[in-house]
Amino acid sequence: KVIWTLLVTILGYASSLPVGDDSICTAEELAKYSIIFTGKWSQTAFPKQYPLYRPPAQWSSMLGVTHSSDYSMWKKNEYASNGVRDFAEKGEAWVLMKEIEEAGEKIQSVHGIFSAPAISSGTGQTSTELEVHSRHPLVSFVVRIVPSPDWFVGIDSLNLCEGDHWMEEVSVDLFPYDAGTDSGFTFSSPNFATIPQDTVTEITCSSPSHPANSFYYPRLKILPPIAQVTMVKLKKNQLGLPAPYLDLPPKSNEIIDSVSETPLDCEVSQWSSWGLCRGLCRKTGTKIRTRFVLLQPANNGMPCPNLDEETGCEPENCV
């Protein structure tokens, strides 16, 4: 009976312990990684409303953290914090940094913060180094899409530990997310707060299902990745060296120059009302209605249809 009681007590205690992806990491205590962010936001891959000026397509600086499962920077289908809202809408990192620091002080769930410089175009690379700990093996980060209402790319709680060892290299394709705090549809939409606030959602080629959406490509099944992140474990003799620039080899799902061309169909307005009937009295005349191009086609998308239409009519006001 004593043994049985002891066993039940031990099992009960074990079941009350926090369970997370980092709870079984038995790798060496510390590991360092080079993290390389590659922007793939090109006009060929994303031709619709591609920002060319004021400002042109670009990426904000990267802000990230290594942490345990007790902390979360952001999560899909959950509400963004005030810090993530400020970063996604304006690129301001101060509130998010305070949130990370408070989490580290109160529940010791944060091991370190890392950042990488901004990229001044839609395509390009930026890099830095990060350190993970066996009790803090998760990586999260955000990079703002500029310009945009509140759109960003990032990773939520990627575990770099696999049991008794650290992963040597991992690459992840990144897709756009909406922070749920601004209601704009297009890259250049004015600030229009979402009230009440919505949750963080992934932007797809069909959601939001609205033709004005800058990522709306109804002919696609999925959007091509707009960015990619690669993390490479550094060997001990590499520690302290600058993170390398990776010339990543092409893959079937990567956007490199002209490899991926997203077709963009022509979009036209609704027809205008019919014009006046022109012609001789007591003879069939003609009237015309018109429409105009809202969006020019690109990458072999559907060409524009006729922009005017003519039909027969009986002239009015004949004497």
Side-chain angles (χ1 to χ4, degrees), residues 69-298:
S69 59
D70 295 322
Y71 172 78
S72 173
M73 176 182 270
W74 66 275
K75 280 191 178 299
K76 182 180 178 180
N77 299 327
E78 294 189 7
Y79 293 104
S81 68
N82 290 336
V84 171
R85 178 200 63 203
D86 285 358
F87 191 88
E89 288 189 15
K90 298 173 283 188
E92 295 176 359
W94 188 82
V95 175
L96 183 53
M97 290 281 289
K98 291 294 291 182
E99 291 174 352
I100 295 171
E101 290 172 7
E102 288 174 3
E105 291 172 0
K106 289 181 180 177
I107 56 178
Q108 282 149 38
S109 58
V110 171
H111 178 72
I113 300 174
F114 59 90
S115 64
I119 303 174
S120 60
S121 61
T123 58
Q125 285 188 329
T126 188
S127 61
T128 188
E129 290 183 4
L130 61 87
E131 183 179 79
V132 284
H133 187 277
S134 56
R135 293 194 301 273
H136 304 86
L138 308 181
V139 176
S140 297
F141 72 82
V142 287
V143 179
R144 181 177 180 241
I145 298 173
V146 184
S148 74
D150 61 342
W151 301 342
F152 68 95
V153 297
I155 278 180
D156 166 36
S157 304
L158 175 67
N159 194 345
L160 294 179
C161 182
E162 290 186 318
D164 62 352
H165 67 279
W166 296 102
M167 299 174 69
E168 290 297 324
E169 181 175 338
V170 58
S171 292
V172 180
D173 287 332
L174 304 177
F175 300 89
Y177 281 89
D178 186 321
T181 61
D182 193 293
S183 297
F185 270 125
T186 67
F187 296 119
S188 57
S189 292
N191 184 35
F192 187 70
T194 302
I195 302 174
Q197 180 177 333
D198 203 351
T199 57
V200 175
T201 56
E202 184 175 351
I203 301 172
T204 71
C205 56
S206 58
S207 178
S209 183
H210 194 291
N213 175 18
S214 291
F215 287 110
Y216 185 69
Y217 295 98
R219 287 178 58 182
L220 297 182
K221 290 184 178 179
I222 59 171
L223 281 176
I226 196 170
Q228 184 185 65
V229 66
T230 299
M231 282 168 270
V232 181
K233 186 174 180 290
L234 297 176
K235 295 182 173 25
K236 290 187 178 178
N237 61 358
Q238 291 178 294
L239 300 184
L241 297 176
Y245 181 97
L246 289 190
D247 187 13
L248 300 173
K251 296 180 182 177
S252 60
N253 63 341
E254 287 189 7
I255 305 167
I256 298 181
D257 296 330
S258 60
V259 172
S260 176
E261 294 188 354
T262 300
L264 183 63
D265 297 340
C266 177
E267 293 182 13
V268 296
S269 68
Q270 298 291 322
W271 287 110
S272 68
S273 56
W274 288 103
L276 295 174
C277 185
R278 299 185 181 278
L280 299 175
C281 287
R282 292 178 293 280
K283 291 188 178 180
T284 301
T286 59
K287 58 182 178 180
I288 296 174
R289 62 178 183 176
T290 61
R291 55 187 174 185
F292 57 90
V293 175
L294 295 172
L295 192 65
Q296 292 287 351

